[in-house]
Amino acid sequence: MSEKKLPSQARVVIIGGGVIGCSIAYHLTKLGWKDVVLLERKQLTCGTTWHAAGLLTTLRDTETQTKLAKYTQDLYRKLEAETGQATGLIQCGSVQLAMTEAKAIEMRRGCAMARCFGVENREITAADVKGMWPLAEVSDVKAAFHFPNDGRVNPADVAQALAKGARMGGAQIFENVKVTAIRQDKGRVTGVETAQGDITAEIVVNCAGMWARQVGRLAGVNVPLQAAEHYYLISEAIDGLHNMLPILRDPGNAAYIREEAGKIMLGFFEPIAKPWGMDGIPAEFCFNDIQADWDRMLPYIEKGMNRIPSLKDTGIKLFFCGPESFTPDHNYLMGEAPNLRNFFVAAGFNSLGILSGGGAGLVMSHWIAEGHPPMDVWSVDIRRAHAWQDNDRYLHDRIVESLGIGYQDHWPARQWETARDVKKTILHDRLAAAGACFGESAGFERPNWYARPGEKAEYDYGWDRRNWFHRGADEHRAVRETVGVFEQTSFSKLLVQGRDAERVLNRIATANCAVPVGKIIYTQFVNARGGIVADLTITRLAADQFMVVTAAFTHTHVESWLRNNIPEDAFCIVTDVSGAYSMLNLQGPNSRALLQALSASDLSHAAFPFGTCKEIDVGYQKLLALRITYVGELGYELYIPTAFTLPVYDALVAAGKDFGLKHCGYHALNTLRIEKAYREWAHDIGPEDTPLEAGLAFTCAFDKPGGFIGREALLAQRAAGPSKRRLVQFVLEDAEPLLYHNEPIYRDGKLNGYTTSAGYGHTLGAAIAMGYVANPDGVSDEFVTNARYEIEIGNTRHAAKPSLVPLYDPKNLRVRC
C-alpha cells in the first residue's frame, strides 16, 4: 500500500485505481508480468467505480463490446473463488422493454445479432414481464426481451478483487500517489513523475477515468472525454422484492430498475444531460457525490416511476448524483496513443466500465504485452479520435447528448444532433441550396442525400422505406444511367515525400509502389499478422512524391501508421494537405463527356486510361483528375485547390444540365459500392481480416523487392490452402425486406456469420449485403455456391443468393470503357 516506498523503475506504470486500472494490472500478471506498478491519486475506486450501478448486461452495439461484456461476466463468476474477495455477483438476468413497435423492431434485430455472438436471449410478452416483476406496470409494453445470463455485482468489491488478484500475481499498488508529469524522449514514453518520487518505465497506461483527459495532456495525447452528472435514486424498503428480480431496462423512460437490498434502485440516462467539472475536478475529490439538481431531473424521475407505480407512494432513501465520463461517440477510448509510443489509454467507458472491465483488462494486457489487441477493437480504438475533439466547448455540447444515447432509438442512419458544424467545406452553402441533407463524419458536414425541390432536407427516421430511401433511388439511377457528382472533400490527403518515399511506402503497402509517375495504386496496409489496417489509394505525383487518400474517419490512424513505420534512417516525411484541396467525385457513363465539355485536355480512354491521373484544365482553373471509381462506373476524382473550388463546381453544375448531372450523397455512394462488392474498411475488412479472406489478394505484390509488412503471414496462410472464411456478396430473393448490416447469415439452416455491410441495391432490385462465410476445412468456391442461404431480419429469415464475383458488372466493362 502507500506506506511502501515507490520503486524507481517498473516495466509498466498504470495510472488510476478504478475497475479498469485494476483489471489491466490483474491481467498483466496473468501473462507473467511481475514488474507492474499501479498508482492511485487517492484511494482505489474513489472516482467513479465506487458509485456505479454494477449492471452486467450483454446486449451491446458492436461485436467487440459484446465480447468484452461476455468475457467480463465469465471472469466475475470465478473471481471470488480465485481471490477470496466477494464480488456480489447475482445472475438475476435482465429484461429490456419496448414501448413502441419501432423499438421492438430494433430490439429484434439487435437480439438476432447478439445470438451470433453467443448471447442467449428470447422475446417475451408483457404478461411474462409482469410475472417476473409483479410490481411493474406493463400496459404500455409492446414487446420485451429476456437475457437470462445477465446480472449485477458490487462494483467496489469487483475492483478490490481484481486488485487483490493483481497483488497475488506480483503487482504493486500504491494509493495517495498523484502523477504530476509524464516523461518522454524521442516520441516514446519513459516514465512518470510524482511528489513521492519518479518512476522510469517502459510503458505507461492512462486509466484515470474522468481525469484521463488531464493525464493525457501531461503526455501531449488527446483523450476526448468529459464528466457529466449521473443519477440514480434508492427507495425505502418495499415488500415483495428479492435479489433475483431481473434488471429492467426501460429505454422509453430513459431508466433502468433493479432491486437493491429490499429496495428499488431507479437510475437514469436522460436524453439531455448536464456536463460537470468544466473548470476542473476538485483536487480533494474522493468518494464524493455532487449537488443534485432536483428541478432538472424531476420530469425524468416521474417518467421512470411510471414503470413501478408503487414508487410514487414510497419514500426515497437516497437521491444520488455522481460524475462519470463520456466520449463524443459513446465508445470507449483504448489502445496505444497515435503520437506517443508505449503510452496506452483505457478510459471513457460511458458508464459501462463495470460490465466491460474484465474484457477491457484482457484486451489491454495483450495489447501491451504483444503489441496488438487480441481482437478487432477499431470501434473503441483511441486512434479513431481526432485532435480537434479535445475542445472544451465541443465536449460540453456533445456530452449533453452522449450520456443518454444508449437509451435512445438507434435508427438506421441516425445522426448526432449536438456539437455539429465543426467542419464545413467551401461548397457547404451551395450543396445546401441543392437540397443536401447533411450527416456528420469526423466533424465534417457531408451530404448524405439530396431532397427534391419543395421537400425538407431532413431525416424521417424509421425501419421501413423512409424519405431518403426514395431519394437514394434517384441518385442510383443517375450514376448508373447518366452522371452523378459526390462532394468528398472530407477525405484525408497525405503527401509522402522524400528520396526514400517509394522505399518506405513499398514496405508499408501490399501493392507495388514502384510505378510510373501518374499511376494510381489501390492497396492495403496490413499488420504483421496479415490483418488489414487500412484500405486506400496511393497516387504517384513525382519521383519523390506520393499522395495517400483515405477516409476522414481513419485520418489519425492512417497518419500514425505511416509515421510509425518510417525507418529512422529514411529520408521521408508525411504532410497533411487535406485542407488544401476539395474533392468532387464525378461518376457515371456521361462523366467523360461532361468533363470534356469543360476541358481542352484529352480525356479519351487512350490518353487517360483507368488507374491513372493527370493535371487538367477546367475553365480558368487547373486541378488533378484521378480516373478511378468506388461505384463501378466510368468516373473521376477531381482534386481541386481550395481557391479554385467554387468556379469549378459552378462550371460543372451549369454544364451538367446537358448531361443529366445529379447531386448524390454518401448513402447512395455506400449502396452503389455494395452492388459492385467494393469493400469498406471497418465494416467488411479490418485488422482481423486478411486480403486473402476478403478477396483482395490481387493487391498483394508478394514478389516485389523487400516484401511488405505482413507478407510472411499471408504467404503462410496461402500455403495452408483455402481460407477458413471468405467475404461473400448476397442479394435477397424477395425485393421488399431491408438490410442494414449485422444481420445473421444462415447456411443450410445453420448460423454461419453476419452481414458486414448492407443496403438496398436499386440497380439490382433488392437488398444487398456482404458478409463472411466460414468453414474449418476451408471455404472453396463450391462450399459457397452449393448451399442454401438465408439472412435473418429480426425473427424472420429471408432467402438470399450468394456470389463470389460482383453482382453488378462482374467483368468491369463499365469501369474501363
Side-chain angles (χ1 to χ4, degrees):
M1 300 297 288
S2 56
E3 64 270 10
K4 296 187 299 183
K5 187 175 184 234
L6 282 182
S8 60
Q9 62 181 32
R11 191 174 184 185
V12 57
V13 170
I14 299 168
I15 304 170
V19 68
I20 304 300
C22 292
S23 182
I24 294 173
Y26 169 88
H27 283 90
L28 281 172
T29 64
K30 292 298 181 184
L31 294 178
W33 285 42
K34 304 298 183 184
D35 193 8
V36 176
V37 171
L38 185 151
L39 305 179
E40 163 53 46
R41 59 180 289 277
K42 291 291 187 181
Q43 294 174 251
L44 295 184
T45 80
C46 74
T48 295
T49 297
W50 72 277
H51 63 71
L55 310 184
L56 299 180
T57 53
T58 45
L59 180 65
R60 310 264 49 95
D61 293 337
T62 66
E63 178 181 7
T64 294
Q65 294 183 30
T66 302
K67 286 181 176 179
L68 298 189
K70 279 198 67 185
Y71 172 84
T72 298
Q73 282 191 1
D74 293 340
L75 174 66
Y76 292 172
R77 288 189 182 100
K78 65 184 183 183
L79 202 55
E80 180 175 351
E82 176 188 342
T83 66
Q85 167 69 51
T87 61
L89 176 65
I90 300 171
Q91 187 176 316
C92 55
S94 75
V95 172
Q96 184 150 331
L97 307 177
M99 296 164 61
T100 64
E101 184 57 33
K103 192 66 177 181
I105 292 171
E106 175 192 322
M107 286 297 302
R108 290 181 189 120
R109 285 176 171 266
C111 288
M113 183 272 290
R115 289 192 290 271
C116 291
F117 312 137
V119 177
E120 183 181 348
N121 64 78
R122 64 189 179 100
E123 184 170 346
I124 60 177
T125 66
D128 294 328
V129 176
K130 188 70 173 178
M132 294 179 179
W133 251 98
L135 295 179
E137 167 58 49
V138 298
S139 60
D140 60 344
V141 173
K142 301 294 184 185
F145 303 84
H146 183 221
F147 300 82
N149 295 321
D150 286 355
R152 42 184 269 217
V153 291
N154 183 319
D157 287 346
V158 165
Q160 292 290 353
L162 290 166
K164 186 174 181 180
R167 292 189 189 98
M168 290 166 60
Q172 298 184 75
I173 297 177
F174 296 85
E175 296 182 305
N176 297 304
V177 178
K178 181 181 178 182
V179 171
T180 56
I182 307 292
R183 289 182 170 182
Q184 53 186 290
D185 182 54
K186 297 179 180 178
R188 187 177 297 271
V189 75
T190 60
V192 301
E193 297 179 9
T194 81
Q196 288 90 330
D198 304 338
I199 305 176
T200 300
E202 298 175 21
I203 294 164
V204 174
V205 191
N206 177 3
C207 302
M210 56 187 169
W211 291 272
R213 187 176 174 216
Q214 285 67 43
V215 172
R217 285 179 170 177
L218 295 177
V221 172
N222 293 312
V223 185
L225 54 76
Q226 176 59 48
E229 295 180 358
H230 200 34
Y231 288 85
Y232 60 75
L233 63 82
I234 297 177
S235 73
E236 296 288 354
I238 299 177
D239 292 338
L241 296 180
H242 56 84
N243 64 13
M244 291 307 293
L245 287 169
I247 300 160
L248 280 183
R249 300 183 73 207
D250 189 4
N253 288 316
Y256 65 86
I257 300 154
R258 75 165 176 85
E259 183 271 348
E260 171 69 18
K263 310 170 188 67
I264 286 178
M265 174 186 283
L266 174 62
F268 307 94
F269 283 89
E270 66 273 20
I272 303 175
K274 185 176 180 180
W276 178 82
M278 295 304 302
D279 297 325
I281 300 169
E284 68 278 5
F285 195 93
C286 180
F287 296 114
N288 294 105
D289 58 358
I290 324 171
Q291 180 64 43
D293 187 343
W294 281 88
D295 291 337
R296 184 177 76 81
M297 291 301 298
L298 186 58
Y300 305 119
I301 295 170
E302 291 176 342
K303 284 187 69 177
M305 285 185 172
N306 288 336
R307 184 62 58 207
I308 310 292
S310 58
L311 278 175
K312 297 178 181 179
D313 301 316
T314 304
I316 296 176
K317 181 176 181 180
L318 173 67
F319 188 63
F320 183 85
C321 178
E324 297 200 23
S325 61
F326 295 83
T327 64
D329 63 359
H330 199 71
N331 283 336
Y332 325 142
L333 296 169
M334 292 171 55
E336 187 179 21
N339 59 327
L340 183 60
R341 302 305 296 267
N342 286 359
F343 183 82
F344 288 81
V345 176
F349 280 82
N350 303 287
S351 199
L352 304 174
I354 300 301
L355 70 85
S356 305
L362 175 75
V363 167
M364 290 297 299
S365 65
H366 282 273
W367 207 333
I368 292 164
E370 298 161 9
H372 61 85
M375 64 181 75
D376 181 359
V377 293
W378 170 252
S379 64
V380 298
D381 193 325
I382 192 172
R383 296 181 184 220
R384 78 185 187 280
H386 301 263
W388 56 265
Q389 290 180 304
D390 190 24
N391 175 288
D392 289 348
R393 184 172 178 182
Y394 168 80
L395 289 171
H396 174 280
D397 293 351
R398 174 53 64 84
I399 266 58
V400 165
E401 182 180 8
S402 182
L403 180 146
I405 198 70
Y407 276 57
Q408 303 302 300
D409 286 304
H410 299 140
W411 305 112
R414 184 197 184 279
Q415 300 297 314
W416 289 93
E417 297 177 359
T418 56
R420 296 288 297 269
D421 296 336
V422 176
K423 299 180 184 181
K424 289 183 176 180
T425 71
I426 196 171
L427 290 171
H428 182 90
D429 291 346
R430 278 171 166 76
L431 301 178
C437 181
F438 293 97
E440 181 266 333
S441 178
F444 278 97
E445 295 296 319
R446 311 192 309 180
N448 278 347
W449 58 277
Y450 287 83
R452 289 177 176 176
E455 294 179 340
K456 287 186 177 181
E458 59 185 40
Y459 280 95
D460 174 23
Y461 292 121
W463 291 95
D464 55 358
R465 287 165 165 76
R466 313 309 292 178
N467 55 345
W468 45 279
F469 176 90
H470 303 290
R471 298 294 74 80
D474 298 339
E475 295 167 21
H476 262 255
R477 281 191 292 271
V479 172
R480 296 291 189 227
E481 298 171 10
T482 56
V483 59
V485 61
F486 300 86
E487 199 268 3
Q488 293 183 255
T489 300
S490 63
F491 270 57
S492 295
K493 305 108 186 164
L494 303 169
L495 282 184
V496 181
Q497 304 175 87
R499 64 171 178 261
D500 294 322
E502 178 189 300
R503 174 171 67 91
V504 168
L505 285 174
N506 237 5
R507 179 62 182 162
I508 297 173
T510 57
N512 193 343
C513 297
V515 297
V517 173
K519 183 68 177 174
I520 304 167
I521 306 154
Y522 170 56
T523 188
Q524 286 79 48
F525 297 166
V526 300
N527 55 39
R529 303 170 310 287
I532 301 169
V533 296
D535 178 75
L536 41 74
T537 62
I538 301 174
T539 301
R540 189 161 203 166
L541 303 178
D544 61 350
Q545 186 178 89
F546 296 79
M547 180 174 69
V548 176
V549 176
T550 187
F553 76 94
T554 67
H555 180 106
T556 304
H557 168 66
V558 169
E559 183 176 11
S560 172
W561 189 269
L562 284 167
R563 294 185 186 280
N564 289 341
N565 283 289
I566 297 175
E568 289 187 6
D569 62 348
F571 191 86
C572 178
I573 59 172
V574 178
T575 307
D576 178 12
V577 296
S578 301
Y581 298 91
S582 299
M583 198 265 268
L584 292 173
N585 194 353
L586 205 62
Q587 297 287 324
N590 291 351
S591 59
R592 178 187 287 128
L594 169 56
L595 200 56
Q596 190 68 80
L598 297 170
S599 178
S601 304
D602 185 355
L603 304 181
S604 66
H605 179 69
F608 195 175
F610 179 78
T612 64
C613 76
K614 64 189 304 184
E615 189 176 69
I616 66 172
D617 294 319
V618 173
Y620 300 141
Q621 292 76 35
K622 284 188 179 292
L623 56 87
L624 183 68
L626 277 62
R627 188 175 163 195
I628 195 169
T629 183
Y630 193 47
V631 298
E633 300 292 340
L634 169 68
Y636 307 85
E637 292 180 357
L638 307 179
Y639 291 84
I640 311 164
T642 302
F644 290 170
T645 300
L646 292 176
V648 168
Y649 169 84
D650 290 342
L652 283 169
V653 171
K657 295 175 182 177
D658 296 332
F659 298 92
L661 179 69
K662 187 171 187 61
H663 288 81
C664 301
Y666 275 84
H667 290 336
L669 184 76
N670 186 49
T671 47
L672 285 161
R673 68 96 186 166
I674 300 175
E675 283 190 328
K676 185 59 177 167
Y678 288 151
R679 283 62 166 147
E680 182 178 6
W681 194 80
H683 280 276
D684 311 302
I685 50 179
E688 297 299 311
D689 310 308
T690 71
L692 278 64
E693 297 164 343
L696 298 172
F698 67 91
T699 71
C700 299
F702 287 109
D703 297 331
K704 66 178 175 178
F708 56 87
I709 299 169
R711 173 180 177 271
E712 290 71 22
L714 293 178
L715 287 174
Q717 184 184 35
R718 188 173 68 174
S723 299
K724 298 186 186 329
R725 55 197 296 272
R726 288 175 70 180
L727 191 62
V728 178
Q729 187 184 31
F730 296 92
V731 60
L732 293 187
E733 295 183 7
D734 185 344
E736 289 305 308
L738 300 180
L739 298 173
Y740 295 108
H741 86 287
N742 278 352
E743 294 94 357
I745 298 170
Y746 287 83
R747 180 185 182 277
D748 288 340
K750 296 181 180 179
L751 182 64
N752 193 277
Y754 60 94
T755 61
T756 53
S757 285
Y760 199 85
H762 294 283
T763 313
L764 297 175
I768 50 176
M770 289 192 282
Y772 286 90
V773 171
N775 180 25
D777 297 324
V779 181
S780 63
D781 290 1
E782 294 74 19
F783 181 86
V784 173
T785 57
N786 295 340
R788 175 176 56 89
Y789 290 90
E790 297 165 299
I791 297 178
E792 183 178 2
I793 302 174
N795 296 325
T796 304
R797 299 183 192 178
H798 300 270
K801 296 178 182 178
S803 182
L804 288 170
V805 297
L807 289 165
Y808 179 77
D809 188 24
K811 295 184 178 180
N812 285 331
L813 298 179
R814 298 176 68 87
V815 173
R816 300 177 182 275
C817 61

